[in-house]
Amino acid sequence: KKQKKTMSKIPESELTRIKSETDLIALIQSRGTVLKKQGINWTGLCPFHPDEETPNLIVTPSKGLFRCMASQCGKTGNAIQFVQWFDGVSFRHACEVLSSGGKAAFEQTNHRRGGTGGKTKIATVPKLPCPLDTAADEGKLLDQVADYYHGKLDEAALAYLVSRGLDDKEVVKRFKIGFSDRTLGLRIPLKNRKEGEELRSKLKALGVYRQNGREHLRGCLTVPIYNAKGELVQIYGRRIDPKAPKANRHLYLARPLAGIFNFEALKSREIILTESILDALTFYRHGMQSVTCTYGTANLTDELFQAINAAKVESVRLAFDADEAGEKATAQAAAKLAAFGIECHQIKLPWGSDANSYALEQGGEALKKAVRNAQWIGAKAPPQKPEPPSLSSTKVASSLAASSGSETVAKGKKIEAPQVVLERKGEHYEMAFGERLYRVGGLERNNSLEVLRITLRIASEGLMHVDSLDLYRDGERRKFIDRASEETLLEKDLLKRDVGKLLLALEQAQEARLNGGGDDEDEVELSPEEVREALEFLQAPKLLDRIAIAYDQAGIVGEQTNLLAAYLACASRKLAKPLAVIIQSTSAAGKSTLMEAVLSFFPPEEQVKYSAMTGQSLYYLGETNLKHKILAIVEEEGAEKASYALKLLQSEGELTIASTGKDPQSGRMETQEYHVEGPVAIVFTTTSIDIDEELMNRCLVLTVDESRKQTERIHELQREARTIEGILANEKRKDIQRLLQNAQRLLQPFKIANPFARHLTFTSGRTRTRRDHEKYLTLIDTIALLHQHQRETIKHTVNGREVEMLPVTIEDIEAANQIAPEVLGRSLDELPPQTRSLLDKIKTLVREKMAEQKLEQCYSLFSRRELRDTTGWSETQTRLHLERLEAMEYINRRTGRQGSLCKYELLTDASEVAQVWQVGLLDIETLRQKEGVK
């Protein structure tokens, strides 16, 4: 049983390595047994019963096994068991002997056969090299113990680090993380020897060994702790066995608590303070290296406190566990630190979690965000010597200010902090601390969370100072405080605290602004009347028809299918995988007008519109600036450099880029990660005939109606807009747009459940239909989403979580089936939409020639001029599409040599009418029959 338990502590991979790497023949011979080769085996006299004269020991090196054939012995096993039985040591000791290799494993022992009774004389057990210097002083000895543990970081310990998200080679090396695997005692001299007794006494005095002679940190992950002089004074141990009692999982050497974890952190003006070393390692692992820790909730040692105070740390962010003990410890630590004028903030974590578990569940970025959003919990001005009253000293009492809604911790009790709010005043921000008024300009010019360059003005009782500075630069802050103190006659400590609070408030404002939530202008509150009107619109029957009528009322003629398809694509921004749209036409045909008409029905705060984009511009938007919004790009050519990012955003729903930037604290270059969340609905316009195939595969392609009838309708509308009736209609249009925008504001994201999905069909002749089919299903989902205020949701519980879904109806599928053939069918055409349109016009022209001239089709030739007169297209436009038709063998150039007129012959049947696209959709009546729906 004991051996099985011991074996279970040694990783199987290590046992396999020892067996495979040990030369069993050399090992047995090193113990004094002579072996002779016989075939694939080796034989010799068994060392376990030396009275035998028959070579009963058989060794099979290919299998790494030995066996004694004598009936009175019968021992069999591998190299580990041979050493265990022969040397009379434990299983773990035998493994350590073999894993050390070299002289210890194959040391020649003094065996000889014969003598009285023929017994073998066995020499002492082979010695393993001792990793400790018996003559070293206590400090050096403790260093050697930590080094030994660091070298013993085995598979089980590494697996534990992986489970805690701390498997980083640099972190392990930087903090000399190790493991106490119980082998130290196998390598130091025996206690019955003088040097062994002395060494063990020293280790007991250091707390490495207990008084009962056992290693104190056995089975623990180890982290050495140093003092300010760089001397190792303590070692922390964390048991990795999940079955270990909770109260016995955290250990320190049996000596007074001393030292400061990661003393380098105190070089920073702002530090993070945790209650455990593993939590501190978690912050360090995720790039927040100015972190140290207490030794549990009740152990903010005087040594650590004095070091923080002596290092002139200005701000401490407390990251204790989110439980009752952690809250109490946070209050006590904050009161102690605040008494010396040190700003304190609490990093808020979900109740019941700690920094390590939170980072494991939510990721490093969420942990960084929690640090940035830490809540201010106060700072008390340090006690000052009595001074004669003066302008500056009378202000000190009013310096206790806090951010909005925060509380101050003093003497373990919570008291309400003064309300100090960062207010928006036009293009500026203002923040007041008693008589001191700070005015901030230029915050909007910062497009990164790494920079906080502003123009800052302080005014107090008629005195003023103003300067431009980057609040993230320590030198510039200090310069501002020094000059402001000279100009306003205020104390530097008072100004320092003010600027610290202002910095935190501006950080939050900037983060909210860059993440899409910082502009008060973006927050639209609907009146009860507006909500009622919008709900009436959304709950009305035949909602899609009402939307089409609204476009007519808004002064948009024709383009009904295009308008509805584009509207649905924009509405799909609320889904997990929205649609995207490309509106294609020739120049001046109205593609931009069509896009503007569609976007006018959506809230302005849910649109992001650009004329052009650089290659990496999307990566540096705020994290949530595009989430559930519409990204409109006026010309696809203007976003050509950003095409890769757009494709990725459409497919993956997010963007992430690693870029180099300057650390605002150290000034050194470092790798910074930028993340942009989707989903986002994308709308382009383009005049290009050839659209990038990768982009087109991801989008619905809508072609503007360029017919003469549509042009006449547009002319009529343009003339109408100049009349009295047209001007009044334009005013009514604003009300229609406002109603539709409010309706969109009432829509919420939902998971869409389609109970008919298994019965639906779609053409599968080409691989690109894999994406087209997804567009078709998303079209159905969007129609269902628009009707969310007309139907009940479906709720199910999964593992304690409630999942709410919006159901699809057959009417939703019927509406999608009316749109899909025209919108998705074009993707099946080998000709671009405008080229297909010209081919249809050529067929019409040829049919008219055949009827008029009584000729066969092969003789009914046409020229480019005739085609231009018929279509009204320009020479360039006509020539480009004719060349494409000729290349794809729809037409043939019959004449056109030098000096003769160029004419073309139509090669396809002129009697074919305009193609009606079939995308293999299931007939609605068939679907009703399958589902048994009337």
Side-chain angles (χ1 to χ4, degrees):
K1 262 186 188 177
K2 188 173 180 183
Q3 179 168 316
K4 261 189 175 179
K5 187 176 180 182
T6 305
M7 288 176 65
S8 67
K9 299 297 183 182
I10 302 176
E12 189 64 34
S13 60
E14 177 65 11
L15 296 177
T16 302
R17 184 191 67 79
I18 292 172
K19 295 173 189 176
S20 63
E21 293 182 1
T22 301
D23 185 341
L24 186 57
I25 299 297
L27 174 66
I28 294 174
Q29 288 184 334
S30 73
R31 268 33 176 195
T33 298
V34 178
L35 299 175
K36 293 182 180 180
K37 188 172 184 182
Q38 288 188 355
I40 63 171
N41 297 325
W42 293 66
T43 62
L45 298 174
C46 180
F48 302 118
H49 52 97
D51 293 338
E52 280 284 343
E53 298 295 333
T54 306
N56 287 315
L57 183 68
I58 299 176
V59 184
T60 308
S62 61
K63 296 182 179 179
L65 298 174
F66 71 89
R67 181 181 181 185
C68 178
M69 304 301 293
S71 59
Q72 72 271 28
C73 179
K75 277 189 168 56
T76 182
N78 53 42
I80 300 172
Q81 291 160 325
F82 182 86
V83 173
Q84 184 183 4
W85 291 328
F86 190 91
D87 293 348
V89 296
S90 67
F91 184 87
R92 180 175 287 278
H93 196 153
C95 290
E96 192 68 18
V97 167
L98 291 173
S99 65
S100 65
K103 184 179 178 181
F106 299 99
E107 185 180 27
Q108 293 289 343
T109 55
N110 184 23
H111 305 288
R112 68 173 183 267
R113 297 187 57 79
T116 306
K119 293 183 178 179
T120 303
K121 292 184 179 180
I122 304 176
T124 56
V125 175
K127 294 180 181 178
L128 296 170
C130 181
L132 309 180
D133 182 2
T134 56
D137 59 22
E138 289 189 349
K140 183 66 175 177
L141 195 59
L142 200 56
D143 261 328
Q144 292 172 354
V145 171
D147 288 339
Y148 180 75
Y149 287 159
H150 182 53
K152 287 294 179 179
L153 199 62
D154 62 13
E155 184 178 307
L158 289 172
Y160 180 78
L161 286 174
V162 171
S163 72
R164 301 302 294 263
L166 300 174
D167 51 323
D168 184 285
K169 292 181 180 179
E170 292 300 320
V171 172
V172 170
K173 182 179 178 181
R174 163 72 177 80
F175 294 103
K176 203 186 288 187
I177 298 174
F179 182 62
S180 174
D181 64 349
R182 309 179 186 181
T183 61
L184 181 60
L186 305 178
R187 291 180 170 271
I188 62 179
L190 297 175
K191 61 183 177 182
N192 58 3
R193 303 292 179 88
K194 181 181 178 181
E195 62 178 1
E197 178 62 28
E198 290 179 355
L199 184 55
R200 290 169 190 272
S201 296
K202 288 183 179 180
L203 293 175
K204 286 179 182 178
L206 290 171
V208 175
Y209 266 61
R210 297 178 181 174
Q211 292 305 313
N212 61 9
R214 302 181 70 182
E215 278 186 76
H216 184 65
L217 300 179
R218 65 188 186 280
C220 287
L221 198 76
T222 61
V223 183
I225 304 171
Y226 301 84
N227 62 17
K229 298 178 181 178
E231 299 167 339
L232 179 58
V233 292
Q234 184 58 266
I235 299 178
Y236 164 74
R238 174 58 165 89
R239 293 199 185 281
I240 67 172
D241 185 357
K243 296 181 181 178
K246 190 172 183 180
N248 199 27
R249 290 179 184 173
H250 303 275
L251 297 176
Y252 293 88
L253 293 183
R255 57 188 286 144
L257 286 175
I260 298 171
F261 175 76
N262 190 26
F263 194 85
E264 294 292 317
L266 301 186
K267 293 180 180 179
S268 175
R269 295 296 177 191
E270 181 178 288
I271 67 170
I272 298 170
L273 183 64
T274 73
E275 72 173 65
S276 76
I277 284 181
L278 290 188
D279 284 344
L281 287 171
T282 301
F283 282 102
Y284 195 98
R285 165 73 173 80
H286 292 289
M288 293 163 279
Q289 298 178 354
S290 298
V291 60
T292 186
C293 66
T294 65
Y295 304 132
T297 53
N299 287 311
L300 175 54
T301 63
D302 287 338
E303 180 184 9
L304 175 59
F305 173 73
Q306 294 298 339
I308 291 173
N309 199 31
K312 297 184 179 179
V313 172
E314 296 177 358
S315 176
V316 175
R317 302 201 173 203
L318 297 160
F320 290 1
D321 294 356
D323 53 27
E324 291 183 6
E327 289 293 311
K328 183 178 179 182
T330 298
Q332 292 173 345
K336 191 171 183 179
L337 294 166
F340 283 79
I342 299 173
E343 291 280 351
C344 295
H345 302 77
Q346 183 179 14
I347 298 173
K348 303 294 287 185
L349 301 172
W351 189 256
S353 65
D354 54 35
N356 182 260
S357 63
Y358 183 70
L360 283 173
E361 182 179 348
Q362 301 294 333
E365 286 302 316
L367 188 62
K368 290 178 182 178
K369 188 172 183 179
V371 173
R372 292 196 298 269
N373 294 337
Q375 293 184 6
W376 185 85
I377 52 175
K380 184 177 179 181
Q384 299 182 2
K385 296 179 181 179
E387 296 177 353
S390 68
L391 176 64
S392 59
S393 62
T394 57
K395 302 292 181 186
V396 176
S398 65
S399 67
L400 295 175
S403 58
S404 176
S406 63
E407 296 179 336
T408 302
V409 178
K411 297 182 181 179
K413 298 180 181 179
K414 290 186 177 181
I415 60 174
E416 284 296 323
Q419 297 292 311
V420 180
V421 180
L422 182 68
E423 296 182 1
R424 181 74 177 265
K425 297 290 183 70
E427 297 297 320
H428 299 85
Y429 291 89
E430 289 186 357
M431 197 170 190
F433 300 92
E435 299 293 328
R436 304 180 303 283
L437 177 65
Y438 291 84
R439 182 171 180 174
V440 178
L443 185 66
E444 288 78 7
R445 291 196 296 267
N446 297 298
N447 294 318
S448 167
L449 293 175
E450 310 301 323
V451 178
L452 199 58
R453 175 158 290 282
I454 59 169
T455 300
L456 180 59
R457 186 188 75 183
I458 176 176
S460 176
E461 297 188 352
L463 302 175
M464 182 188 304
H465 175 65
V466 63
D467 199 357
S468 294
L469 72 156
D470 186 344
L471 281 180
Y472 281 153
R473 293 188 175 276
D474 180 64
E476 294 185 21
R477 284 202 312 272
R478 290 173 178 273
K479 179 182 175 183
F480 178 86
I481 291 168
D482 290 343
R483 294 287 297 128
S485 178
E486 294 176 9
E487 296 292 335
T488 63
L489 306 180
L490 295 172
E491 291 286 349
K492 291 182 182 179
D493 287 342
L494 179 64
L495 294 171
K496 185 186 297 184
R497 285 191 291 273
D498 286 356
V499 172
K501 298 180 185 74
L502 180 65
L503 167 61
L504 294 173
L506 290 174
E507 269 187 333
Q508 294 178 1
Q510 175 149 301
E511 182 176 356
R513 180 178 63 83
L514 293 179
N515 287 341
D519 252 336
D520 294 339
E521 296 174 2
D522 287 351
E523 298 177 6
V524 178
E525 293 186 8
L526 303 183
S527 67
E529 180 64 22
E530 288 176 323
V531 172
R532 184 188 62 78
E533 290 178 354
L535 280 175
E536 283 182 0
F537 181 85
L538 291 171
Q539 293 171 350
K542 297 184 178 180
L543 179 58
L544 295 183
D545 290 343
R546 292 200 65 184
I547 292 171
I549 293 170
Y551 276 116
D552 287 337
Q553 293 173 338
I556 310 299
V557 295
E559 307 283 7
Q560 286 192 356
T561 302
N562 285 341
L563 286 168
L564 194 53
Y567 181 88
L568 292 173
C570 293
S572 71
R573 73 195 185 283
K574 299 285 187 180
L575 298 175
K577 285 192 173 291
L579 294 165
V581 166
I582 294 179
I583 302 174
Q584 184 185 43
S585 78
T586 56
S587 180
K591 59 187 182 306
S592 297
T593 303
L594 178 59
M595 183 174 76
E596 292 297 334
V598 172
L599 295 179
S600 68
F601 281 7
F602 290 86
E605 70 271 14
E606 296 188 18
Q607 302 177 31
V608 179
K609 189 175 178 183
Y610 296 113
S611 299
M613 303 178 71
T614 60
Q616 293 186 329
S617 55
L618 281 174
Y619 293 100
Y620 299 104
L621 288 172
E623 189 169 352
T624 58
N625 264 20
L626 292 179
K627 191 170 185 178
H628 292 307
K629 292 187 177 181
I630 304 165
L631 174 60
I633 301 171
V634 177
E635 286 289 344
E636 184 262 338
E637 291 82 355
E640 185 177 358
K641 293 181 180 178
S643 61
Y644 174 75
L646 289 168
K647 296 170 193 173
L648 200 62
L649 185 60
Q650 182 68 11
S651 298
E652 303 297 328
E654 62 178 2
L655 293 174
T656 303
I657 189 173
S659 179
T660 54
K662 186 173 288 187
D663 187 331
Q665 293 183 352
S666 66
R668 292 178 297 183
M669 298 301 290
E670 63 176 14
T671 299
Q672 298 168 349
E673 186 176 285
Y674 296 89
H675 182 71
V676 179
E677 290 184 18
V680 58
I682 305 175
V683 183
F684 303 91
T685 68
T686 183
T687 57
S688 176
I689 300 172
D690 296 314
I691 304 173
D692 178 30
E693 188 172 358
E694 280 294 313
L695 190 60
M696 190 168 67
N697 286 346
R698 291 171 167 82
C699 302
L700 300 178
V701 180
L702 307 181
T703 305
V704 173
D705 183 357
E706 298 184 22
S707 67
R708 181 167 295 176
K709 288 184 178 180
Q710 176 66 4
T711 303
E712 291 172 354
R713 288 194 290 264
I714 292 172
H715 288 171
E716 183 180 348
L717 187 65
Q718 291 170 341
R719 291 190 291 268
E720 182 71 17
R722 266 64 176 180
T723 65
I724 296 174
E725 293 78 10
I727 294 171
L728 296 176
N730 186 52
E731 292 300 315
K732 292 179 182 178
R733 183 180 306 137
K734 295 177 182 177
D735 294 332
I736 297 170
Q737 291 171 346
R738 178 182 54 79
L739 173 62
L740 269 292
Q741 289 172 6
N742 290 341
Q744 281 292 322
R745 291 185 177 110
L746 296 183
L747 294 181
Q748 298 297 322
F750 269 106
K751 291 181 174 67
I752 308 297
N754 190 340
F756 312 102
R758 292 187 179 91
H759 297 311
L760 299 179
T761 59
F762 199 83
T763 183
S764 56
R766 297 168 63 183
T767 55
R768 68 154 295 157
T769 60
R770 298 174 184 180
R771 279 183 174 159
D772 291 334
H773 180 241
E774 184 66 28
K775 296 173 195 173
Y776 168 60
L777 296 177
T778 305
L779 210 57
I780 297 172
D781 292 346
T782 308
I783 294 171
L785 184 74
L786 286 174
H787 290 82
Q788 62 183 250
H789 291 285
Q790 298 187 17
R791 60 191 69 162
E792 295 292 329
T793 58
I794 303 170
K795 296 181 180 179
H796 289 276
T797 302
V798 180
N799 296 329
R801 301 188 307 275
E802 186 178 75
V803 180
E804 189 174 15
M805 297 167 280
L806 192 67
V808 168
T809 65
I810 286 185
E811 288 71 23
D812 298 337
I813 299 173
E814 185 175 14
N817 284 3
Q818 293 174 0
I819 302 170
E822 181 175 347
V823 174
L824 296 176
R826 298 191 188 109
S827 65
L828 304 176
D829 192 0
E830 62 181 354
L831 295 176
Q834 290 173 303
T835 308
R836 170 64 66 182
S837 174
L838 182 62
L839 179 61
D840 291 337
K841 295 179 188 302
I842 290 172
K843 289 180 180 179
T844 302
L845 177 61
V846 171
R847 286 198 301 270
E848 291 174 355
K849 279 181 167 287
M850 289 170 61
E852 181 182 341
Q853 300 175 7
K854 309 296 183 183
L855 296 173
E856 296 180 20
Q857 180 177 320
C858 61
Y859 299 113
S860 299
L861 307 182
F862 61 93
S863 66
R864 283 207 297 263
R865 172 173 293 219
E866 289 176 316
L867 198 55
R868 290 199 307 272
D869 292 340
T870 301
T871 61
W873 288 14
S874 67
E875 164 62 21
T876 301
Q877 186 182 6
T878 305
R879 177 171 47 78
L880 285 173
H881 291 289
L882 280 175
E883 288 174 355
R884 181 178 293 276
L885 288 172
E886 185 178 359
M888 300 187 73
E889 299 179 349
Y890 282 88
I891 61 174
N892 181 39
R893 190 184 308 208
R894 288 285 295 272
T895 57
R897 292 182 180 180
Q898 190 173 13
S900 62
L901 184 65
C902 178
K903 290 199 173 185
Y904 298 88
E905 174 191 356
L906 177 64
L907 299 180
T908 61
D909 188 357
S911 62
E912 289 179 352
V913 296
Q915 188 168 355
V916 178
W917 299 108
Q918 301 295 331
V919 290
L921 303 182
L922 182 68
D923 180 72
I924 292 299
E925 291 306 317
T926 305
L927 180 59
R928 291 182 189 276
Q929 292 172 8
K930 287 189 176 186
E931 288 291 326
V933 179
K934 294 182 180 180

